[in-house]
Amino acid sequence: MNRPTVVVFDVNETLSDLAPLADRFTDVGAPAQLAPLWFTSVLREGLGLAACGDIQTFATIGREVGRVLLAGVALDRDVDAAVDHLLAGFLALPVYPDVTEGVRALRAAGYRLVTLSNGAADVAERLLGRAGLRGEFEHLLSVEDAGVWKPARAPYAYAARVCGTEPADMVMVAVHPWDLHGAARAGLRTAWINRTGAPYPGHVQPPTHTVRVLPELVNLLG
């Protein structure tokens, strides 16, 4: 198998560490455990819309899901202000500790790097800018320009068109098996970052590569 030329990164929870979101929930008087529930609920709603051929922005869904989850919680401010605080925290997340080394190693090895997110491109811009990694990436892509969320085929095909390459010459990197399944169905190779040691679900197509942390990917691709 020939070495791929383009590495495509998911952004939310693949590059960005969502752990600080828990503090945003406790800041407003809500339980910390609502943070992962909020994120998975946003994904569920976005993917549900995609299955119907519809699309809404991550921010729009995130705001509505936040209002639903915080309804009935004894907050220290009104619900709209609380949701604003949560979303502001989402825009200020750090990258995982392994991301900087991994991204720079891949770029030094000659790979073209892009992101493809179900969120807005501006979120990736801020995240990578804060981490000092923006210059390593050729394109920051969003499903908003593809018309439907991943894991539908269209976003992966859109990324290939923007990069001027074939899907088979691209590898999708993500922590979400459903994202990798969609990428594989669209003809991309896939790489799963398994930071938690969890088993890979058997009901989706297995990844081409599995790594514990991002820097391990360079040798596997080469």
Side-chain angles (χ1 to χ4, degrees):
M1 182 182 292
N2 293 333
R3 157 176 152 149
T5 58
V6 180
V7 182
V8 186
F9 287 91
D10 173 53
V11 175
N12 297 327
E13 205 173 25
T14 295
L15 298 179
S16 62
D17 183 356
L18 303 188
L21 276 182
D23 292 336
R24 288 281 171 157
F25 277 83
T26 57
D27 285 347
V28 302
Q33 59 265 33
L34 285 184
L37 177 60
W38 173 81
F39 182 68
T40 56
S41 297
V42 173
L43 292 181
R44 180 196 64 208
E45 297 301 308
L47 271 59
L49 288 172
C52 300
D54 298 322
I55 187 171
Q56 281 287 351
T57 66
F58 189 100
T60 297
I61 298 173
R63 184 170 294 280
E64 294 302 319
V65 168
R67 288 193 182 107
V68 171
L69 289 182
L70 295 179
V73 176
L75 303 172
D76 65 0
R77 66 200 77 184
D78 68 70
V79 69
D80 287 331
V83 170
D84 286 343
H85 185 70
L86 304 182
L87 293 179
F90 190 79
L91 294 175
L93 295 172
V95 297
Y96 278 102
D98 61 298
V99 167
T100 298
E101 180 185 348
V103 163
R104 289 185 172 150
L106 287 164
R107 189 69 189 92
Y111 294 101
R112 300 167 61 193
L113 308 184
V114 303
T115 63
L116 178 63
S117 177
N118 279 342
D122 180 59
V123 175
E125 187 84 44
R126 296 187 191 196
L127 175 74
L128 297 171
R130 286 192 303 274
L133 296 173
R134 176 60 185 91
E136 309 292 345
F137 286 81
E138 186 174 321
H139 300 290
L140 305 182
L141 306 178
S142 170
V143 298
E144 293 174 12
D145 296 310
V148 66
W149 278 35
K150 300 178 294 177
R153 181 180 295 266
Y156 308 103
Y158 164 69
R161 288 195 305 273
V162 171
C163 292
T165 191
E166 295 297 320
D169 292 324
M170 310 176 85
V171 57
M172 182 77 207
V173 180
V175 297
H176 305 123
W178 54 263
D179 194 350
L180 299 179
H181 181 80
R185 293 292 298 272
L188 285 72
R189 302 176 220 188
T190 57
W192 184 43
I193 304 180
N194 182 15
R195 295 186 179 101
T196 66
Y200 200 83
H203 60 273
V204 291
Q205 189 164 329
T208 312
H209 307 287
T210 297
V211 297
R212 187 176 46 84
V213 288
L214 185 57
E216 295 175 354
L217 184 59
V218 179
N219 291 334
L220 292 180
L221 293 183

